[in-house]
Amino acid sequence: MWQVAGGHGKIDIKKAVDEMKVYTEAGFGTFDLADIYGPAEVIFGMFLKEYPGNKRVQGLTKFVPRPGPMTRAIVEASIDRSRKNMGVQTLDLVQFHWWDYEDERYLDAAKYLIELQQEGKILELALTNFDTHHMKRIADSSCRLVSNQVAYSIIDRRPEKKMVYWCLENNVKILAYGSLLGGFLSDKYFGKPEPTRRELTTSSLVKYKYTIDQWGDWNLFQELLLVLKRIAEKYAVSISNIAVRYIADKPTVAAVIIGARLSIAEHIAENLRTFSFPGIDDEDKSLIHHIVRRGRELPGDCGDEYR
């Protein structure tokens, strides 16, 4: 639900709530939001009020504090605000994000999140955009983490440098986002000329065009789309289905998060086809890897672009 925060078009809130019902009926009842995603928590709360008691619905929010002191009162006030906005007594999952590792008060925040979990205000604790070293520090502070939400796609393989191995050893899952590169990994861009800056009409397109440029150039990206197109035709699905399934089947990946431009556009039917085939075989993966390795490895660890 980052897409309701602005930068992806004007959202009709009432229509967005109605569409969330359609997503849930189709089997997509887990919504990823954050306290900084504009009205996301409020929209979820409105949805939940009209859809009470449905066991298929989960709201995964985030705690993204501004840099500064991390007292118990500050952390609790933020968690209570999320609970109020979402209309729940207990938050299903709180994913903690921290902007500046040099400010070690993130360890204070983690301590208070643990206390609030013990008091029943939070069910599960997780991280978002943490690198491997600092994820380990949080875990070593007696915080039982269930996941870390990070960018992970066919060309953004930073989790495979260190994080995947640590997660496997410590039973922590990855929630992957950016797996469609903001929509670039789709039939829409296959065989198309490189978009101009003016044509990058959403925050996601701006962000992930930069990712593509870090990895390679537009010609190489088109070669990748050609390979994905041929694989997609083999399984009678779309390029996007292949891109999502490629990441969803990775070790430690619990789920792939796909942006929903609620009230503007929806791809429910297409997304349902992601698991309509047995999976991508080794020959297909080899073709993908051959192209990907011709590009540059993205620098750093997960989340480094936020710091």
Side-chain angles (χ1 to χ4, degrees):
M1 290 179 72
W2 177 44
Q3 279 71 9
V4 307
H8 292 85
K10 184 173 175 56
I11 301 295
D12 180 323
I13 290 181
K14 184 182 183 306
K15 189 177 178 184
V17 171
D18 290 339
E19 283 193 3
M20 289 172 74
K21 299 175 190 176
V22 179
Y23 276 89
T24 301
E25 291 296 336
F28 299 121
T30 299
F31 297 91
D32 181 72
L33 40 149
D35 55 3
I36 61 166
Y37 288 0
E41 290 185 338
V42 172
I43 292 173
F44 182 86
M46 294 169 63
F47 160 66
L48 209 58
K49 190 175 292 186
E50 296 186 19
Y51 219 65
N54 192 297
K55 301 300 183 184
R56 291 179 294 173
V57 175
Q58 296 181 96
L60 319 183
T61 194
K62 300 181 185 74
F63 171 50
V64 188
R66 293 179 178 179
M70 282 293 108
T71 64
R72 158 87 186 212
I74 288 173
V75 177
E76 186 168 22
S78 181
I79 295 304
D80 284 345
R81 187 163 51 249
S82 292
R83 291 166 63 230
K84 180 181 177 181
N85 287 341
M86 295 170 66
V88 297
Q89 290 298 310
T90 302
L91 297 170
D92 292 322
L93 181 72
V94 172
Q95 303 165 94
F96 175 39
H97 174 93
W98 191 253
W99 296 105
D100 180 9
Y101 292 141
E102 291 186 9
D103 182 349
E104 295 198 341
R105 287 177 287 193
Y106 67 89
L107 295 171
D108 296 332
K111 179 179 72 172
Y112 298 129
L113 288 171
I114 294 169
E115 291 179 4
L116 294 170
Q117 182 185 37
Q118 292 169 343
E119 293 169 15
K121 292 187 175 184
I122 301 168
L123 183 61
E124 300 287 2
L125 288 173
L127 302 175
T128 186
N129 290 318
F130 264 73
D131 66 15
T132 310
H133 173 72
H134 294 90
M135 179 169 61
K136 182 179 184 300
R137 289 201 66 187
I138 291 275
D140 288 345
S141 70
S142 301
C143 184
R144 186 178 62 82
L145 300 171
V146 296
S147 61
N148 186 19
Q149 183 178 147
V150 295
Y152 198 1
S153 68
I154 286 173
I155 67 174
D156 187 350
R157 297 166 292 146
R158 289 175 296 167
E160 296 174 8
K161 293 181 181 180
K162 293 184 290 186
M163 185 166 295
V164 165
Y165 305 104
W166 187 88
C167 286
L168 285 170
E169 290 175 356
N170 293 275
N171 194 29
V172 174
K173 300 298 183 181
I174 288 175
L175 298 182
Y177 72 88
S179 302
L180 292 176
L181 296 177
F184 279 116
L185 283 173
S186 68
D187 291 87
K188 178 179 179 180
Y189 286 93
F190 172 65
K192 297 296 170 57
E194 183 171 8
T196 65
R197 178 61 180 82
R198 185 184 295 271
E199 292 171 318
L200 302 178
T201 54
T202 70
S203 298
S204 291
L205 291 175
V206 172
K207 176 178 181 176
Y208 293 110
K209 178 58 167 61
Y210 178 68
T211 299
I212 293 169
D213 292 341
Q214 280 187 303
W215 168 72
D217 59 22
W218 190 252
N219 289 332
L220 183 59
F221 185 67
Q222 284 296 316
E223 288 188 51
L224 175 61
L225 288 183
L226 176 59
V227 167
L228 296 178
K229 179 72 171 176
R230 289 171 175 168
I231 295 171
E233 289 173 347
K234 172 181 173 180
Y235 297 110
V237 294
S238 70
I239 288 175
S240 295
N241 293 146
I242 297 299
V244 171
R245 186 64 182 270
Y246 178 87
I247 296 299
D249 286 347
K250 290 281 189 179
T252 79
V253 172
V256 174
I257 297 166
I258 300 177
R261 298 175 70 197
L262 297 170
S263 79
I264 296 176
E266 61 88 358
H267 302 277
I268 293 173
E270 180 181 355
N271 288 331
L272 283 170
R273 289 195 290 271
T274 300
F275 292 96
S276 65
F277 63 103
I280 305 167
D281 65 32
D282 290 341
E283 182 180 350
D284 299 328
K285 291 176 185 176
S286 179
L287 293 171
I288 293 171
H289 297 163
H290 176 72
I291 298 292
V292 171
R293 291 191 189 107
R294 287 169 52 197
R296 294 178 291 272
E297 188 176 81
L298 268 60
D301 200 345
C302 299
D304 281 1
E305 65 269 32
Y306 294 97
R307 301 171 184 89

